[in-house]
Amino acid sequence: MAIGAAIGSALNAALHLSPKPMIALLCLIVLAALTIGAALSDLRRRRIPNRLCLVIAVLALPYWLATDPTFLRLAIQILCAAVVAMTLMIPFYYRVLGGGDVKMMAALALWLPPDPLYETILMVAMGGGLLAIGVVLFDRRSMSPTVPYGVAIAAAGLFQVIGRMKHLID
C-alpha cells in the first residue's frame, strides 16, 4: 500500500515538474514496477528473466542523463556495476546466488551512487539472510531449497527508489 501511495503522489507531483526531473521520476516509477516484477518472478519460478535485468540496466541511462549528465557520473555507475557483478560471481560460482540475482544486482547498481549502493548491498544481505532462514524453516519439501534473493534485492531497491522519488518531488 505504501508503494502505491508513493507512486501515486509521485505521478501527481510529476505534473508540476520541469522535463528533466519528470523524466527521472518516470524512470524511477518504471524501475519500481520492474523490481516488483523481478521479485514476483523469483518467488514463483526462482528465476529472474534476463530481459528484465537488461531493461533495468538500460533504463538507468535516461535516468542519469536527466539527473546528472556528466561523463564522470556515468563512468562511476558503470564501475560500481562492474565491481558488484565481479564480486557476486564468487557466490554464484559456489551456487549460493543464481545468475539472475547477480544480473539484477548489477543492473540495480547502475542506478545507485556508491554510498546508497553500499547501503543497498547491506539491506540485500540482511534481507537475503532472513529469507534463507525462512526458506530453511518452512520449505520442507526440498532437500536443497533455493532462496529467492530477487525479493531482497527488489525490497532494498524499492527502498532506494522511494527515497529518490521523495528527493525529486521535494
Side-chain angles (χ1 to χ4, degrees), residues 155-168:
L158 286 171
F159 177 81
Q160 294 293 341
V161 166
I162 290 170
R164 295 205 171 292
M165 284 180 179
K166 286 181 182 177
H167 176 73
L168 282 172

Side-chain angles (χ1 to χ4, degrees), residues 17-62:
L17 293 175
S18 59
K20 282 189 174 187
M22 185 182 303
I23 290 169
L25 188 59
L26 291 174
C27 288
L28 288 169
I29 291 169
V30 173
L31 175 62
L34 292 171
T35 56
I36 291 168
L40 292 174
S41 175
D42 204 17
L43 273 173
R44 286 187 199 130
R45 296 179 296 230
R46 295 298 197 267
R47 189 169 186 284
I48 301 170
N50 288 338
R51 67 182 177 277
L52 207 54
C53 295
L54 181 63
V55 174
I56 289 171
V58 169
L59 196 58
L61 182 61

Side-chain angles (χ1 to χ4, degrees), residues 1-2 6 9 20 31 52-53 58 60 63 71 80 83-84 90-91 94 103 114 127 133 137 168-169:
M1 195 56 104
S9 70
K20 282 189 174 187
L31 175 62
L52 207 54
C53 295
V58 169
Y63 172 76
F71 176 76
C80 285
V83 168
V84 166
I90 297 166
Y94 289 104
K103 288 178 268 189
I133 291 168
L137 291 176
L168 282 172
I169 294 169

Side-chain angles (χ1 to χ4, degrees), residues 43 75 78 97 113 117 157:
L43 273 173
I78 291 168
L97 285 178
L117 179 58

